[in-house]
Each structure stands twice: as structure tokens, then as C-alpha cells.
């Protein structure tokens, strides 16, 4: 039986790089893959952008109201018609931005349609609250794999701290895409609590 995989880690843990490597591995063996990402992730528009500089276009974007299973089926049919080869895997970047219902769609694709789904994302936001998509993935995925990165102090990073300029901020909207005005730094628990003055969650 195909499975739903959730591969998660703090910012800068190489999630997009690992996803693109997985796609390459499938295609090197003559297999077809589909790559998707939520449309809320406007960084790179249609592109998946790895911090190592590797990029690739997503095959489709997932809007908040997208039925992922229906969209996947349509794209799968197109691939089969064009190549005569079925899709071997669906890869989803920034999976924390999926809705819980879309995560359920991903589970159905794996179980009912027989296609493995590899979802990559972060567990929690800059206030240490879980994203709805990540919470659902942690509840229903067959396999959970943590991709690790390190904090500035050398410890394992588990939190994602938001910065505006050189200043850490702990209030604001849950979603603010990494870019010119907002950046993120992966921190261990000790460094996060040092910067937040011991506060977890909304300040």
C-alpha cells in the first residue's frame, strides 16, 4: 500500500532540497512525478526554490479551495496521455499551508489511488503554534521524518523565529512569506526563549 509521508523540520533544514532530490531520484529511474505547492507560498511564484540555489517549476499550485485529489487525478491523466507512464509519486512543498481537508485528500491519494505522497514542511509558526496542515499531517501520516538543522549556538534547532531587519518579532499574522521585509532564523529552545524573554506563544 502506498503511504503518506510527512518530512518536517525547522527553517533551513533542507526540506525543499530533499524534495527536489527525491524527484530527481524517481526521474533518474524513468519514473514520473508531480510536484505541487500551496499558492499561499508566493516566494518564487510557480517555482520551488531551495536555499542551495536549486529551482524547479511546480506542476500545479494548491489554492485554499483546491480539491487536491481531483487536481492530482487530472494532472495524472495528462501525464499518462503524454508519456504513457503513470505517476509514481506526488511531492508537496510547504505542506504546512495545506488545509486539514487537503491533507485528508493527500491521504486518500496514497491509500485509495495507490500513489505515495511525500509532504515537506514545518511544524510550527514563529509563535510556536502548529500550522493546521502540519497538525493534520502529524495526526494521519503513515510516516514522520524529522529533517534536522542547527541553531546559531550549535544545538538542534526546533523553532522558527521571525525577524524584521535585525529585530526579532513575536506578534503578527501567522503567515508572512520569507523575503525582503521578513526573514526567519531557526533557533533551539534556549535561544528562542532568550529572545522572547521566556514567552512561548502570543505575546
Amino acid at each position: 500500500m502506498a503511504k503518506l509521508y510527512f518530512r518536517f523540520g525547522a527553517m533551513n533544514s533542507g526540506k525543499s532540497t530533499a524534495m527536489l532530490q527525491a524527484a530527481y531520484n524517481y526521474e533518474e529511474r524513468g519514473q514520473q512525478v508531480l510536484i505541487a505547492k500551496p499558492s499561499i507560498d508566493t516566494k518564487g511564484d510557480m517555482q520551488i526554490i531551495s536555499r542551495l540555489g536549486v529551482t524547479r517549476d511546480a506542476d500545479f499550485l494548491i489554492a485554499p479551495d483546491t480539491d487536491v485529489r481531483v487536481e492530482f487525478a487530472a494532472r495524472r491523466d495528462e501525464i499518462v496521455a503524454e508519456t504513457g507512464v503513470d505517476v509514481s509519486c506526488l511531492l508537496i512543498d510547504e505542506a504546512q499551508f495545506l488545509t486539514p481537508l487537503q491533507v485528508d485528500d493527500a491521504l486518500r491519494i496514497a491509500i485509495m489511488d495507490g500513489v505515495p505522497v511525500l509532504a515537506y514542511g514545518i511544524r510550527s509558526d514563529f509563535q510556536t503554534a502548529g500550522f493546521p496542515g502540519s497538525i493534520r499531517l502529524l495526526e494521519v501520516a503513515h510516516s514522520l521524518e524529522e529533517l534536522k538543522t542547527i541553531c546559531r549556538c550549535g544545538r538542534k534547532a526546533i523553532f522558527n523565529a521571525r525577524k524584521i531587519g535585525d529585530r526579532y518579532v513575536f506578534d503578527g499574522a501567522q503567515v508572512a512569506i520569507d523575503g525582503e521585509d521578513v526573514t526567519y532564523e531557526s533557533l533551539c529552545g534556549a535561544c528562542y526563549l532568550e529572545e522572547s524573554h521566556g514567552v512561548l506563544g502570543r505575546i
Side-chain angles (χ1 to χ4, degrees), residues 48-119:
I48 308 296
I49 300 177
S50 160
R51 292 182 187 274
L52 292 184
V54 181
T55 62
R56 175 172 172 160
D57 285 344
D59 295 296
F60 64 96
L61 297 179
I62 302 170
D65 60 351
T66 298
D67 184 315
V68 176
R69 191 175 179 214
V70 168
E71 184 67 21
F72 169 76
R75 302 290 179 151
R76 182 185 191 182
D77 289 345
E78 290 175 3
I79 292 289
V80 173
E82 290 173 7
T83 68
V85 179
D86 198 3
V87 171
S88 295
C89 185
L90 171 62
L91 300 114
I92 303 174
D93 197 30
E94 304 292 352
Q96 70 272 8
F97 296 137
L98 297 175
T99 68
L101 289 177
Q102 289 170 336
V103 172
D104 291 350
D105 287 340
L107 183 67
R108 292 186 188 98
I109 290 169
I111 295 175
M112 300 174 70
D113 301 328
V115 177
V117 179
L118 280 59

